[in-house]
Amino acid sequence: LRRQRQMCIRDRLSALVDKLIEQNFKLKTESKSMRNKIEELQRKIEHLESENQSLVIKSSENNNSE
């Protein structure tokens, strides 16, 4: 009976460890995906800031020439 209980405890712990490993993998994958999305959005923001700066300069030049 004692041996059965030990095996049952071991099996439950083993299942828990497997579940934790799986969850850890999912979190790492999601984290990497989120970092990639953030980097992509940062590039888009930089592009838009650059584009906006160009428009401000053009607008300023047009106003000065009038």
Side-chain angles (χ1 to χ4, degrees):
L1 185 65
R2 183 175 180 196
R3 177 130 173 88
Q4 259 184 331
R5 204 171 357 164
Q6 287 174 334
M7 289 173 63
C8 183
I9 290 169
R10 186 199 65 208
D11 290 347
R12 278 188 287 166
L13 286 175
S14 179
L16 180 59
V17 168
D18 289 345
K19 191 94 168 148
L20 288 172
I21 290 170
E22 181 183 331
Q23 285 297 106
N24 187 42
F25 178 77
K26 284 181 183 177
L27 287 172
K28 284 183 177 181
T29 303
E30 289 172 6
S31 175
K32 185 174 183 179
S33 174
M34 293 299 275
R35 274 197 305 272
N36 289 341
K37 287 178 184 177
I38 289 169
E39 289 172 1
E40 180 184 343
L41 288 171
Q42 286 175 328
R43 284 192 296 273
K44 287 180 179 180
I45 288 171
E46 289 170 3
H47 176 74
L48 288 171
E49 286 174 336
S50 174
E51 213 172 65
N52 184 52
Q53 187 64 33
S54 295
L55 290 172
V56 167
I57 291 171
K58 285 180 185 177
S59 175
S60 174
E61 289 172 353
N62 286 342
N63 288 338
N64 287 338
S65 67
E66 290 177 2

